Every structure is written in C-alpha cells, then in structure tokens.
Amino acid sequence: MAGIEHIKVEPDEAGMRLDRWFKIHYPGLGFGQLQKLLRSGQVRVDGGRVKTDARVQPGQMVRVPPLDVDAKGPKSGPIAGKDLRNSGDAELLARMLLHEDDKVFVLNKPAGLAVQGGSGVARHIDKMLEAWTSKKGEKPRLVHRLDRDTSGVLVVARTRGAAQKLTAAFRERDTKKTYWSLVKGVPRKREDKISTWLVKEPTIDGDRMRIAKHGEEGADHAVSFYRVIETAAQRLSWLEMEPYTGRTHQLRVHALHIGHPIIGDPKYFIDDPNWDFPGGVQKRLHLHARHIDIPHPNGGRLKVTAPLPPHMVQTWNLLGFDQDYGGDDGE
C-alpha cells in the first residue's frame, strides 16, 4: 500500500468528473469507497473538499490517501498523449486491447497514432505489432485502417488465415462500423443517406478528398448513413455515422458535403467568421470508431465497442452528453 500521493490532472482530463478520473487511475476503487474518502476529506482537490461530480481541470492536484487497491496494474480508460510518448510498444498495445482470442485482437486506437508508416510518421501500429510476434514467428496483421487523427476500434488478425477471412469480410461489406462524431450545426434531417463520388487531389498539406464531378476520371462511389443522437444549443450535433463503403476520409468529406463538418478536422473544417469555435473544446478531430460488428474467423460474429478518447470525453462532459445514451452498438 502506497503513502499519500498528489497527482496532477493532465490536459487530456480537462472537464472530467472526479469519479471518472478515479475510475481511470484507480480501477480497483469502488464508488462507495471513493464517497467515504471524499466525505472524510481524505481525497481533496487543490487542498479543498469536493464531491464525486466535481469537474477536474488541468494542473489541479488531487490528494490520494493510501489505498488498498492496485493502481500500478494496467490502466483502464483512454490513453493520453503522454502515454503515446513514454510507453513501450508492447505496453501501449496492451493498454489498447479491447478483445483477444486465438484469431483476433481488437484495439482501441488512440487519436494521433498512425496505423501504417508514411512520410513523417515515426511510430505506427503496423510496426508496433512486431512486439506481439508469436512463438511461431507470425506477426499480427492489419486488415483495415483508421485515419491517424481518428480514434477507436481497430481489428487485427493474429494469423494468416484469419487475415484472409477478415479482409474478405471488409471487402464484401459484411461488417457494420459505427462512428461517433461531433459536427458544426444541426442537420435539417435527423437521419439520412449520403451518396456521392469522391476523388483524391494532392495539396501542399497532403492528399485531400473532394466531391467529384459527374463522370470524373479516378472517382469512387461513396455511401454513408448518419443519424443525430443529440444536439447542443443548435450549434453542435452528436452524430452516429456508418460508412457503407470504405473510401479515404469518407465520413469527414461527407460531413462537410452536407454542411456540417466534423469539429477539429484539420483538413475539412473551414473557419467561419460568423461562427465561434466552442470554448473548452479542443481543436482535435472529433471522430471515433465506436463499434464494430464483423464475422469472426471461427464462426459467429464479433461485436466490440471502444470508449471515447480523452479529448472527446472532455467535450461530452462539457456539453452534458451522456455516453451511455447512444448505446454501445449504436442500435
């Protein structure tokens, strides 16, 4: 049992409820235990007494008395930016792990971590997976990808045979991928289908997708579905989005196409002098692969849900959105 600790609240944790903060840092501490510690003043924030629903802010110091729980085991909850910089490959992969069996790993990819290598990419999951090479010398294989700034569910095959079956499921669209996003404004239709043609064009900031003209060479058909889960003061909307096709940046371009770009999108969110960016919301991409439903290589279907990343937890807390309201699988 450790002595008294004073733990600094990280920028990623801004606006987080104190009970959620403890759940992440001390997963073994029960809610009732925490309430007793708060009532007796053993847990304090910046030296003052607080309640479980208090919101913590970066730089605050949380006083933690000796606890008869293991805080040194694997953390639960989202991975912060400092973890990406300071953790080894095997440790970080273990922190991301949502599901494991003999054929499949499912990870919760943090925002800001690339899936594959490329220009200017120093660290990426494909390389990190070498840390999980089996005793037979088989390295786990990627079967799909997420944009670097998109967080959430990433399926990885443990064997060559599993990779073939999972890749086929994605190619044949026998998967259901559900994303959560926060967009500017409120769509006129509460739910709709978006169908366009997309084409890639190079820019000084890298490749960018745009809506193609009729019959334009090199264009691919893209279909997405969305529904509005909740809104905030007619200025922001929490959308559930489902890509039927799997084109590059598809959901991001489609959100822009309907006039409601995703908050914090560095490529597709265009600044509007008549619209103020919400205070307290980080300018990071608010797009998260929340849930996947895919055929398992051994038969049946695998369904996995990923918790939100820290910057989206902060925004959901700020706007008063209930993460449980959307449902684990968006259904």
Side-chain angles (χ1 to χ4, degrees):
M1 194 184 297
I4 294 173
E5 295 182 283
H6 290 85
I7 302 176
K8 190 175 183 179
V9 177
E10 298 292 335
D12 302 280
E13 299 166 339
M16 188 179 289
R17 278 176 56 121
L18 185 62
D19 52 358
R20 188 179 289 273
W21 186 91
F22 266 91
K23 188 174 181 181
I24 289 171
H25 288 266
Y26 298 90
L29 182 69
F31 183 74
Q33 293 173 279
L34 175 60
Q35 284 186 310
K36 288 179 182 178
L37 293 170
L38 288 164
R39 280 198 298 268
S40 62
Q42 294 182 70
V43 168
R44 294 174 179 250
V45 176
D46 282 351
R49 288 176 177 255
V50 286
K51 296 183 178 180
T52 54
D53 61 354
R55 305 279 181 177
V56 296
Q57 299 301 331
Q60 288 184 324
M61 301 300 294
V62 181
R63 180 193 189 275
V64 182
L67 300 174
D68 192 17
V69 296
D70 182 15
K72 303 302 181 185
K75 270 187 177 182
S76 64
I79 293 173
K82 61 181 172 40
D83 299 316
L84 293 180
R85 295 187 294 274
N86 302 330
S87 301
D89 289 351
E91 178 190 351
L92 199 56
L93 287 169
R95 287 277 309 279
M96 293 183 217
L97 192 63
L98 295 171
H99 170 86
E100 175 185 7
D101 59 47
D102 63 333
K103 296 292 173 63
V104 181
F105 291 122
V106 182
L107 307 177
N108 185 12
K109 187 190 86 65
L113 179 62
V115 172
Q116 292 175 297
S119 177
V121 175
R123 190 179 200 187
H124 56 87
I125 287 178
D126 193 28
K127 177 71 173 174
M128 293 167 64
L129 286 170
E130 291 178 1
W132 278 359
T133 299
S134 70
K135 292 178 181 178
K136 297 179 181 177
E138 196 165 26
K139 175 195 155 192
R141 294 168 169 83
L142 296 170
V143 293
H144 69 127
R145 62 184 297 276
L146 295 173
D147 295 342
R148 181 175 186 165
D149 293 326
T150 303
S151 58
V153 177
L154 185 72
V155 178
V156 178
R158 296 187 68 164
T159 67
R160 181 186 299 275
Q164 290 172 341
K165 291 181 179 179
L166 291 167
T167 301
F170 280 102
R171 185 176 60 246
E172 295 160 11
R173 297 178 187 149
D174 189 15
T175 63
K176 181 180 179 183
K177 293 179 286 181
T178 305
Y179 289 72
W180 281 3
S181 66
L182 184 73
V183 303
K184 173 186 172 184
V186 178
R188 186 171 55 85
K189 295 183 178 179
R190 299 293 295 185
E191 54 184 87
D192 203 6
K193 172 184 176 181
I194 308 167
S195 177
T196 69
W197 290 79
L198 300 181
V199 68
K200 184 182 294 184
E201 60 180 9
T203 72
I204 56 172
D205 297 321
D207 289 340
R208 191 176 188 276
M209 305 300 290
R210 64 169 171 79
I211 304 299
K213 299 179 180 68
H214 181 70
E216 188 169 349
E217 187 178 348
D220 290 312
H221 192 215
V223 177
S224 306
F225 300 87
Y226 78 84
R227 74 178 178 99
V228 178
I229 296 179
E230 203 167 341
T231 63
Q234 294 299 304
R235 297 185 65 233
L236 298 164
S237 297
W238 166 10
L239 301 188
E240 175 187 284
M241 305 185 78
E242 182 186 336
Y244 177 70
T245 52
R247 312 303 181 196
T248 302
H249 299 173
Q250 175 177 318
L251 296 179
R252 298 162 67 180
V253 182
H254 275 172
L256 175 63
H257 176 63
I258 64 171
H260 302 283
I262 297 173
I263 296 297
D265 191 330
K267 282 185 182 285
Y268 302 102
F269 190 96
I270 301 166
D271 286 332
D272 180 351
N274 298 316
W275 192 84
D276 294 327
F277 199 89
V281 174
Q282 295 186 43
K283 288 193 175 183
R284 300 182 65 186
L285 181 66
H286 283 61
L287 180 63
H288 176 68
R290 172 68 172 174
H291 184 81
I292 196 161
D293 177 341
I294 186 171
H296 193 283
N298 290 342
R301 296 190 71 88
L302 176 64
K303 300 180 182 184
V304 183
T305 300
L308 290 173
H311 70 282
M312 289 181 69
V313 170
Q314 176 187 341
T315 300
W316 261 235
N317 287 340
L318 181 75
L319 299 177
F321 290 164
D322 182 356
Q323 295 175 45
D324 297 326
Y325 178 72
D328 282 348
D329 57 5
E331 294 180 354

